[in-house]
Amino acid sequence: MTHTLSLARDLEQLPLAELLAEATALRDQGHGRRISYSRKVFIPLTKLCRDVCHYCTFAERPSKKRPPYLSLDEVLAIAEQGRRAGCNEALFTLGDKPEDRYNAARTALDAMGMPSTLHYLAHAASAVLEKTGLLPHLNPGVMTRDELAMLRPVSASMGLMLESASARLCQRGGPHFGSPDKDPAVRLATIAAAGELAIPFTSGILIGIGETRAERIEALLALAELHARHGHIQEVIVQNFRAKPGTKLAGAAEPDLDDLRWTIAVARIILGPEMNIQAPPNLSPDSYAALIGAGLNDWGGISPVTPDHVNPEAPWPQIEALACATADAGHLLVERLAIYPRYLSQPAHWLDPAVLPATLRASDSEGLARGESWAPGLALSDWALNDVTRRPYLAEIDSSIQRQAAKAATGQRLDQAALAKLFTARDRDFRFLCDAADELRRHSVGDTVRYVVNRNINYTNICYFRCGFCAFSKGKTHEALRGKPYDLALEEVSRRAIEAWERGATEVCMQGGIHPEYTGETYLEICRAVKRAVPQMHVHAFSPLEVSQGARTLGISVPDFLDRLREAGLGTLPGTAAESLDPAVRAVICPDKLGADEWLEVMEAAHHARLRSTATIMFGHIDGPESWALHLLAIRDLQQRSGGFTEFVPLPFVAMEAPIFLKGGARRGPSLREAILMHALARLALHGQIDHIQTSWVKMGNAGAELCLRAGANDLGGTLMNESISRAAGTQHGQEMPPAAMQALIQGIGRVPMQRDTLYRPVTKQRQAAAEAAADLLPVVLTSPGDPKALARHIA
């Protein structure tokens, strides 16, 4: 206590302005310009409580007019209302163990077959998680270690306000007298047990109930010590007491604004730059800027549908108004989940597996709230479009982002950390990067948007690899998606090539699963079949995985096999199978595939063999800004050595039928902002090395592709004719985009369309005319694996 008193005296002696300056500097060091909040729905499971706090109006006595507990139907109705309003968090609040005081509570629990209030809470939270996908945050009061363990599988986070570390307040005449659960030692034991169980936890202090400033500091130091031990306290609330009529403290003085600011600043100084410090905005409705100026970085949970049942006299602020007020103070309001990003970055440690799927579905790449229903492969809603096109809140652009964009524009290589930070840009910073990328595109390649008339030929969907993202070979087996296993006949490959040529194509793009019976000779014969059928057709085929597998089965080196493929008619390679070049990500999504270094080695060998290729990234699953930056720089570095990449193609992860998503192990693909930003930052990061940035209409849709073309992309890729890989994953955007549709999209944004070939050369007028007069496609023939004409059997 001597140390606490000394620290209190030191802090008291500091002028408030100096204290606030130190606190805000620490906050900016840890959180930058962001102020977060959680969009929540408030579920008061019961208002009965065995404690008698002298300031509380939440707790009620039993009444014949209302049941002691909300029914499960009522709980789900409130949660569903929140889900429809865009909430991600279901905040359960309730009194401490009311069955220990009230027979009505005990009787109600017995009628439901529940041993305790906490068992009913577990049941209700589980139902909300399962039925609505909202993430439960539980505030049930003091708990034992076993009770915390029981609730962990049904919650993303939990909380218990320490309120005060002063046992003095529990003595007769104090605000906590008669409230056994307000004993600081008991509350600290609960918080410590939560740490032992790795539960992301909320705590905080209540100021103005009779404690001294030294006692506030004592409470903050106690929380700091527990956090240092377990790392589990994700936020600390500094809540100002509000006098309420009908309570014993109705006439008590409330802390003034300077007292609140002083306490927030002290909390920041004691708890450090990384801690999330929160003050409820509805309790200080005219003081948002002042609270930001005290060092907070979070506004807590705000509900668009339910009142603050603990402080019903204090309405929640409108989120739009809060965003504007936050921006006026020079900060950006961002939406978070009930679990903070730091904890979601280590889900195996901090989250029960039962809660992880819903949490990932609700999150973006940074662990913040995704905030939109759009996902790659789906049509864009007006809401999602508005989120990336609305007027920015911030008045100024982050100067470090401006410096990095200027550096990229001169062709310099960005470092990984700086590039990763650019991927977190939002609001005005996001708009600036998109505009900078588009300006760079204009200077680099002009206003021409190119596309190629091509046909996808996926010769087999049989594959012995177990990639977690792939629905093509392991999706649901029905005709609308993957369909049954097939292994095309060479005659069908040739027929499709001929038909594609007649429809104006200059390229066939050929890839398939890694069939266990295929050898390098299979791939050679596929090339020969196309060139025999249509000698003029460009063969764009075989990912580095197929090249590696083909070389291995023939017992020759990759360079030797590439030479054979080129002699057989291969023109270029698609840069697929790259997925993520971050080894840690790759180890999860495709552990048995060739490694990142091997992918790069095959590509470099292809370039040295005079076979150019595309480069791709498949993003938005378990990866994030650091992985994306690493990937882009690996592509840039190889291009600087070999010069063989023709274009870079961001491929947003389509989740709907992907095994890793269906098992709850991945996000729903990138958010719209992230998908657009990938195209913009590819333009910036690869400037001077790769001129062409392609957007995938299959995954982004027309509206999404337009946004990417306005953010640095200059290529729409292929017309495809038959698209099956993304369609198997669940995309809604069709199998073909004819040249007329391509041209209409391009001209609709004021750009100039140009049909190109695979190597970005203009095509002849004859090819253009054939493409524009294309007849309908004939039905494809999917040869069954057992057919004697199947590739595996035929070539063997």
Side-chain angles (χ1 to χ4, degrees), residues 192-448:
E196 293 167 4
L197 292 168
I199 296 172
F201 211 75
T202 294
S203 192
I205 61 174
L206 178 61
I207 69 169
I209 58 173
E211 82 292 342
T212 65
R213 283 187 168 181
E215 287 169 335
R216 294 179 194 173
I217 291 172
E218 183 183 7
L220 292 168
L221 288 172
L223 292 174
E225 192 278 327
L226 286 175
H227 183 62
R229 195 188 310 168
H230 302 294
H232 69 303
I233 298 179
Q234 61 172 2
E235 63 183 343
V236 170
I237 303 170
V238 178
Q239 183 170 331
N240 48 314
F241 160 73
R242 296 285 295 265
K244 297 180 175 64
T247 67
K248 291 184 178 182
L249 292 186
E254 298 178 352
D256 63 20
L257 180 59
D258 279 352
D259 196 18
L260 177 58
R261 294 164 74 204
W262 183 90
T263 310
I264 293 170
V266 168
R268 172 62 66 197
I269 291 167
I270 289 174
L271 294 164
E274 300 298 329
M275 179 57 72
N276 298 294
I277 306 292
Q278 176 193 131
N282 59 320
L283 301 186
S284 304
D286 301 315
S287 306
Y288 301 150
L291 299 185
I292 291 172
L296 65 71
N297 70 288
D298 190 82
W299 291 123
I302 298 173
S303 179
V305 292
T306 51
D308 179 352
H309 290 280
V310 174
N311 299 284
E313 78 287 353
W316 300 116
Q318 293 293 315
I319 292 170
E320 178 69 17
L322 187 63
C324 292
T326 302
D328 288 343
H331 290 264
L332 178 65
L333 187 69
V334 295
E335 186 181 351
R336 62 166 173 85
L337 304 175
I339 179 173
Y340 278 80
R342 176 188 164 213
Y343 297 87
L344 189 51
S345 69
Q346 298 176 291
H349 182 72
W350 294 107
L351 276 177
D352 189 273
V355 186
L356 181 59
T359 310
L360 289 176
R361 282 196 295 272
S363 76
D364 69 5
S365 67
E366 294 181 74
L368 292 167
R370 186 182 182 85
E372 62 186 39
S373 59
W374 180 82
L378 301 179
L380 274 173
S381 66
D382 291 340
W383 194 97
L385 280 168
N386 179 63
D387 191 50
V388 297
T389 58
R390 59 170 166 74
R391 179 183 65 82
Y393 289 104
L394 289 171
E396 297 181 356
I397 302 160
D398 186 322
S399 59
S400 67
I401 286 178
Q402 290 177 301
R403 287 193 299 273
Q404 293 301 320
K407 181 178 179 181
T410 65
Q412 297 181 69
R413 185 186 190 276
L414 303 182
D415 66 57
Q416 185 178 343
L419 183 53
K421 181 184 175 182
L422 297 185
F423 273 112
T424 68
R426 296 168 186 262
D427 197 70
R428 188 171 295 278
D429 296 338
F430 164 73
R431 293 287 292 276
F432 168 77
L433 287 173
C434 291
D435 291 344
D438 204 40
E439 183 65 20
L440 200 54
R441 181 270 312 159
R442 187 176 295 109
H443 282 111
S444 300
V445 292
D447 286 334
T448 299

Side-chain angles (χ1 to χ4, degrees), residues 50 77 87 232 250 343 354 461 498 522 532 559 689 727:
R50 70 177 180 178
C87 297
H232 69 303
Y343 297 87
N461 64 353
I498 294 168
T522 312
R532 283 195 298 266
Q689 300 299 327
R727 190 164 177 258

Side-chain angles (χ1 to χ4, degrees), residues 474-495:
K474 302 178 197 64
K476 292 180 180 176
T477 304
H478 57 78
E479 296 301 325
L481 292 172
R482 177 170 79 88
K484 297 177 181 179
Y486 65 81
D487 181 20
L488 297 188
L490 276 179
E491 290 90 335
E492 176 64 8
V493 172
S494 300
R495 186 197 69 77

Side-chain angles (χ1 to χ4, degrees), residues 466-550:
R466 290 177 170 82
C467 300
F469 56 83
C470 182
F472 175 64
S473 65
K474 302 178 197 64
K476 292 180 180 176
T477 304
H478 57 78
E479 296 301 325
L481 292 172
R482 177 170 79 88
K484 297 177 181 179
Y486 65 81
D487 181 20
L488 297 188
L490 276 179
E491 290 90 335
E492 176 64 8
V493 172
S494 300
R495 186 197 69 77
R496 293 191 198 182
I498 294 168
E499 185 179 33
W501 182 261
E502 292 171 347
R503 299 178 89 246
T506 56
E507 169 198 305
V508 287
C509 177
M510 300 194 294
Q511 298 173 96
I514 307 300
H515 195 297
E517 297 178 40
Y518 280 16
T519 69
E521 188 59 38
T522 312
Y523 300 123
L524 291 167
E525 191 57 34
I526 290 171
C527 289
R528 295 180 189 122
V530 171
K531 298 302 277 188
R532 283 195 298 266
V534 188
Q536 309 97 311
M537 185 70 81
H538 183 97
V539 177
H540 181 63
F542 315 134
S543 71
L545 178 60
E546 290 159 297
V547 171
S548 176
Q549 190 244 11

Side-chain angles (χ1 to χ4, degrees), residues 528-706:
R528 295 180 189 122
V530 171
K531 298 302 277 188
R532 283 195 298 266
V534 188
Q536 309 97 311
M537 185 70 81
H538 183 97
V539 177
H540 181 63
F542 315 134
S543 71
L545 178 60
E546 290 159 297
V547 171
S548 176
Q549 190 244 11
R552 180 182 56 78
T553 59
L554 294 180
I556 61 176
S557 68
V558 165
D560 285 346
F561 185 49
L562 286 165
D563 287 340
R564 291 195 191 182
L565 286 169
R566 192 183 64 251
E567 291 167 2
L570 181 65
T572 53
L573 278 71
T576 49
E579 327 310 357
S580 171
L581 295 177
D582 182 339
V585 172
R586 206 171 183 83
V588 176
I589 65 171
C590 49
D592 53 352
K593 226 172 189 177
L594 76 172
D597 289 344
E598 294 172 293
W599 187 93
L600 291 165
E601 288 166 5
V602 173
M603 277 304 190
E604 189 160 13
H607 298 168
H608 287 317
R610 304 189 309 282
L611 289 166
R612 301 192 71 188
S613 72
T614 63
T616 67
I617 182 172
M618 192 266 292
F619 65 104
H621 31 81
I622 65 165
D623 50 359
E626 292 80 9
S627 300
W628 301 341
L630 183 155
H631 188 109
L632 283 173
L633 294 174
I635 295 296
R636 178 191 172 92
D637 292 345
L638 175 53
Q639 180 72 345
Q640 203 157 17
R641 295 195 302 271
S642 70
F645 290 123
T646 54
E647 73 245 52
F648 181 74
V649 190
L651 299 172
F653 171 57
V654 179
M656 283 78 84
E657 296 297 331
I660 193 171
F661 175 73
L662 294 175
K663 293 175 182 177
R667 302 191 304 277
R668 298 173 56 239
S671 68
L672 181 59
R673 177 188 61 84
E674 292 166 343
I676 296 169
L677 203 50
M678 178 62 77
H679 293 76
L681 293 182
R683 171 63 63 190
L684 291 168
L686 300 174
H687 178 57
Q689 300 299 327
I690 299 177
D691 285 337
H692 303 294
I693 308 298
Q694 183 182 124
T695 185
S696 170
W697 60 266
V698 174
K699 294 172 171 60
M700 295 298 301
N702 286 16
E706 286 184 16

